[in-house]
Amino acid sequence: MARFIRFQHGDRTLYGKLSGDTVHVLSGDLFGKHQDSGETLSLADIRLLAPCTPSKVLCVGFNYRDHAEEFDTPIPELPNIFMKPVSAVTGPEAPVYFPKALAKQVDYEAELVAVIGRHARHVSPENALDYVLGYTIGNDVTARDMQDPTKQWTVCKGFDTFAPIGPWIETDIDPKAGLDISCWVNGERRQHSNTKNLIFDVPYLVSWLSQAITLKPGDIIFTGTPSGIGPVNPGDVMEIRIQGIGSLLNPVEAEP
Ligand code: MN
């Protein structure tokens, strides 16, 4: 059971293991060779970063029944997969930039994110969770007004800062058992569901994706959003809460 973080302390970028407010600094890469360095820091003295640096960000569209219905899309028979560029990844409390070009409507999407821990290729659903290190929270920020006109979703979901993740990786939770998931804008709840309502669960997604694509340590899978999506504007604060993980907070700011 562990809560892993990636963080900045002075000019160092490090991985650590969090217990309460104490950071146990790891030497090396959480997704490669690492060990406990023996150094401890206080959570108050560090700045949390996105908890991993993925080689790819895989995402699932329409993976909650209620969200497919709000879009008037039939319940999918196979996962609807798209990718966000890794340049979209940002961390907890970091600003999400409202684009100054191309887009006029930006939406939040609360999502559970699975973090891959081991090289996965052709794994079975039964063994798939052996390849998942743990879970974090993600916001699949989307320029909604571009989604239909551009057909492909790479740009509307791929603007810089449109993939905030964090605040940490929690290893000891079970989405299948049902985790409350909600999105709050300026303290008002906009989305509320439970991970037991996922159409394709995490073992299915890891197994299915691994038949086609090698999943590498640190890669992430955004598992889809429930109903209640809606727009935000500069000055708004988005917060996504998932039971057993915590809260991912990001302010929306006009792109500088
Ligand atoms: Mn999504």
Side-chain angles (χ1 to χ4, degrees):
M1 172 177 170
R3 180 172 279 190
F4 290 114
I5 57 174
R6 191 172 145 265
F7 64 94
Q8 189 117 36
H9 181 253
D11 55 6
R12 298 184 299 165
T13 299
L14 300 162
Y15 286 97
K17 197 170 166 177
L18 199 58
S19 45
D21 286 343
T22 304
V23 179
H24 298 270
V25 178
L26 301 178
S27 55
D29 181 348
L30 173 63
F31 297 93
K33 276 191 183 340
H34 66 270
Q35 56 188 17
D36 196 324
S37 71
E39 179 185 2
T40 57
L41 296 166
S42 166
L43 184 58
D45 295 332
I46 65 166
R47 187 168 69 91
L48 290 173
L49 302 171
C52 55
T53 56
S55 78
K56 49 193 168 294
V57 180
L58 292 153
C59 309
V60 193
F62 305 116
N63 201 24
Y64 282 81
R65 214 161 280 272
D66 50 354
H67 177 56
E69 281 162 5
E70 83 181 335
F71 261 75
D72 208 15
T73 291
I75 301 299
E77 287 171 22
L78 289 172
N80 172 345
I81 303 294
F82 62 93
M83 288 174 81
K84 281 161 113 64
V86 293
S87 45
V89 173
T90 192
E93 313 225 350
V96 165
Y97 290 130
F98 195 103
K100 63 176 165 191
L102 304 184
K104 290 192 167 57
Q105 184 187 334
V106 173
D107 283 13
Y108 53 80
E109 291 190 3
E111 308 206 4
L112 174 78
V113 173
V115 182
I116 298 297
R118 294 168 54 197
H119 281 261
R121 179 74 171 141
H122 295 302
V123 305
S124 67
E126 294 72 28
N127 297 330
L129 289 183
D130 295 344
Y131 297 83
V132 175
L133 173 66
Y135 301 91
T136 190
I137 302 170
N139 189 343
D140 175 17
V141 181
T142 303
R144 193 68 68 198
D145 58 322
M146 294 181 72
Q147 191 163 16
D148 285 342
T150 59
K151 313 290 184 216
Q152 301 284 328
W153 294 359
T154 307
V155 174
C156 71
K157 288 172 174 287
F159 283 82
D160 288 3
T161 73
F162 272 23
I165 53 171
W168 39 64
I169 300 163
E170 192 70 50
T171 62
D172 204 38
I173 51 172
D174 178 12
K176 196 85 179 165
L179 308 172
D180 214 57
I181 178 170
S182 58
C183 178
W184 304 69
V185 177
N186 306 329
E188 190 179 290
R189 192 171 71 188
R190 301 287 178 82
Q191 291 183 285
H192 186 210
S193 189
N194 190 288
T195 58
K196 66 175 188 255
N197 297 326
L198 285 168
I199 296 168
F200 302 106
D201 64 13
V202 172
Y204 182 97
L205 292 170
V206 170
S207 171
W208 193 83
L209 283 165
S210 80
Q211 308 309 318
I213 302 169
T214 300
L215 305 176
K216 294 183 179 176
D219 284 353
I220 53 179
I221 304 171
F222 277 66
T223 59
T225 199
S227 66
I229 55 162
V232 285
N233 287 294
D236 289 338
V237 175
M238 304 179 285
E239 183 187 2
I240 296 169
R241 298 181 194 163
I242 299 182
Q243 187 183 2
I245 306 178
S247 148
L248 172 69
L249 196 141
N250 297 95
V252 182
E253 293 178 9
E255 185 184 351

